[in-house]
Each structure stands twice: as C-alpha cells, then as structure tokens.
Amino acid sequence: RRMDVINRGANGYTSKWGRLALPLILEEILGPKDYSLACNSDVSHPNTLHLGNESCSQEKSTAISSDDYADFNFVIGYGANDSCIANGTRSKYHVSLEDYALNYKHMIEMITNWNEKSVAVALMTPPPCDTEVLIESRDNEVTKLYAEACMNLAREANVPVVNLWSGLQHPSAANRAEASSLRWRSDHLSDGLHLTPMGNYRVFELVVEMLERPRGESGLGLSVMELPRSLPDHSKIDPDHPHISFSD
C-alpha cells in the first residue's frame, strides 16, 4: 500500500454547502483544529498566516519543499450545481460566481491552516454539461465561467487544478484514435450532466496527470510508483525468516 484514497463526495452539494461540511471532514481526517493557526492565511502563500492586514508571526512548522509531497492531499471539486441557471428549474442550487470563488478560497485556507499536519490542496473545475438536454436548468457557456473562475483562483492561490470542463470535451487517451471530439456529450455524459463509465475514466486520467506532476509544476508530486510502500514488497520478504522484513 502506497496511499489511502478517502472519498468524501456528497451528491447534489454546492460549494456553499461543501464549505459548511468541510470542518467535519477535516476533523475526521486531520484531527482536532489547532486554533493557534486560526488567523486567515494569504491564499497565495498557504504557509504564511495573516489576520486582517497584519501578518501573524507564527508559521506552520510542517512547511515542505516543492521536491516533497504532503502527507495529506485534498482534491476539491464543485461547480456543477453552483452553475445552475439562477432563474432555471434548479435555481435552489445556484451560487453566484463571486461566492463560488470565495467558497473555494475559504476552503483552501481552512485546509492549509487546520493544524500542523502536512497538507496540500488541488482544485477541480466543474465538468461540462449538455445544454440541449438540460436547457431548463444549465448552460455549458455558464458552466465555462465557473470553470474559468476556478482556474483563475488556482493560479492566484498557487495550487494545482484539474480542468474537467475542457478535458471532458476531448476523448480519453485510450480512445483518442477512434473517438471524435464531437462525441464527448454521448461518450462522457449519461444524461447531459452525470458521467458515463467512459467519462469517469476520462476524469481518472485527468486527475492522475495532475497528481503525478511534481509539486511546483502544477501537481501534487504523487507519482504512485515512486511513493514509498507502507509495507515490505512481497519480493523482498524472506519466506524462511519473514519477521526480519517487519522488524524495522
């Protein structure tokens, strides 16, 4: 085992509701909040803490270099519901573009300043939608604005981002030879919004690409085959003296 993947997705959520749920998730995964780190951070420098216009003198002792990887890596993805048309049939899910970006910003700050654990954050844009199918509730050009806001915030915050809106409108690497970019709606979307198995695989490709890029190069530095194992590899265990491999 090289890493644990913990899914805390909630269907139907918006960034507003996700922001409210995040403390419960962080308490579960990272442990109790360290309130000495409670002052707001400068989103462009996650390990430097600020309160109002004054910089806090305390810095997280767990800051790591761009050559390392964090112990806890969070990938946050909202926007498919936030971007519902304000006067459409799913208007109760609508979150303004400004509030969407602000919610993402607060979630980045909350994670990076929760406690002394070594953490990193990446964002995901909302996926595209099929306007023709969902014309009463969604518009892909509106969703594009939310994707662009996510991308802009990621640049401002200096965190990696997975551009699902763009990436899902192209065929997966496995199907690129025979797939047409014009077929993404039927290939990747089952009902104009939710993903088909092929769409989920395309998301997998896009996320792994981001995970494997080094920190400092728009990635999280989590190349799976280069991460240390938590247990000895089976090929290294002496069948006559297996306890030796587990003694360190």
Side-chain angles (χ1 to χ4, degrees):
R1 183 175 62 84
R2 298 177 189 267
M3 69 171 70
D4 293 318
V5 178
I6 304 174
N7 180 6
R8 289 297 177 268
N11 66 307
Y13 267 49
T14 67
S15 64
K16 180 179 180 179
W17 302 338
R19 176 180 169 183
L20 294 173
L22 185 57
L24 304 177
I25 296 170
L26 296 180
E27 181 84 22
E28 174 194 359
I29 295 174
L30 297 180
K33 180 175 177 58
D34 182 350
Y35 284 94
S36 68
L37 301 174
C39 54
N40 293 328
S41 73
D42 177 350
V43 70
S44 62
H45 300 284
N47 292 315
T48 302
L49 309 179
H50 292 262
L51 181 61
N53 295 322
E54 299 297 325
S55 176
C56 297
S57 59
Q58 182 179 10
E59 292 190 357
K60 292 181 70 172
S61 60
T62 53
I64 58 180
S65 75
S66 60
D67 295 330
D68 298 321
Y69 55 86
D71 293 333
F72 297 88
N73 296 267
F74 293 82
V75 182
I76 314 172
Y78 290 100
N81 292 315
D82 298 59
S83 59
C84 284
I85 300 170
N87 60 352
T89 57
R90 296 291 185 269
S91 59
K92 76 171 187 177
Y93 298 104
H94 174 76
V95 175
S96 72
L97 198 58
E98 180 181 0
D99 285 345
Y100 169 71
L102 188 62
N103 289 333
Y104 256 156
K105 179 177 179 180
H106 280 299
M107 283 189 272
I108 294 171
E109 293 174 344
M110 192 185 304
I111 293 169
T112 55
N113 295 294
W114 186 257
N115 58 26
E116 289 287 333
K117 299 283 178 63
S118 167
V119 299
V121 183
L123 304 181
M124 290 196 300
T125 75
C129 65
D130 189 338
T131 306
E132 293 182 5
V133 175
L134 304 171
I135 193 168
E136 294 185 350
S137 62
R138 290 174 169 84
D139 185 320
N140 199 36
E141 289 304 306
V142 174
T143 306
K144 179 182 179 181
L145 298 178
Y146 285 74
E148 290 173 344
C150 178
M151 298 285 289
N152 290 336
L153 178 61
R155 283 191 290 269
E156 176 189 340
N158 194 28
V159 299
V161 62
V162 180
N163 190 345
L164 296 183
W165 189 87
S166 175
L168 279 166
Q169 295 184 66
H170 297 86
S172 69
N175 297 291
R176 198 156 291 155
E178 64 273 12
S180 165
S181 61
L182 299 178
R183 284 173 37 193
W184 66 267
R185 293 174 182 84
S186 58
D187 285 347
H188 293 159
L189 303 178
S190 63
D191 57 3
L193 177 65
H194 300 98
L195 300 177
T196 63
M198 189 182 297
N200 277 304
Y201 185 78
R202 180 63 179 143
V203 171
F204 166 79
E205 286 184 328
L206 295 167
V207 171
V208 169
E209 286 174 8
M210 179 277 295
L211 293 178
E212 294 191 337
R213 288 195 295 268
R215 285 172 61 88
E217 298 180 22
S218 303
L220 291 178
L222 295 173
S223 181
V224 173
M225 298 310 295
E226 296 179 7
L227 292 175
R229 295 176 182 269
S230 59
L231 296 171
D233 183 88
H234 69 92
S235 64
K236 307 296 183 183
I237 298 175
D238 184 340
D240 296 323
H241 305 92
H243 63 281
I244 296 175
S245 298
F246 295 91
S247 60
D248 293 337

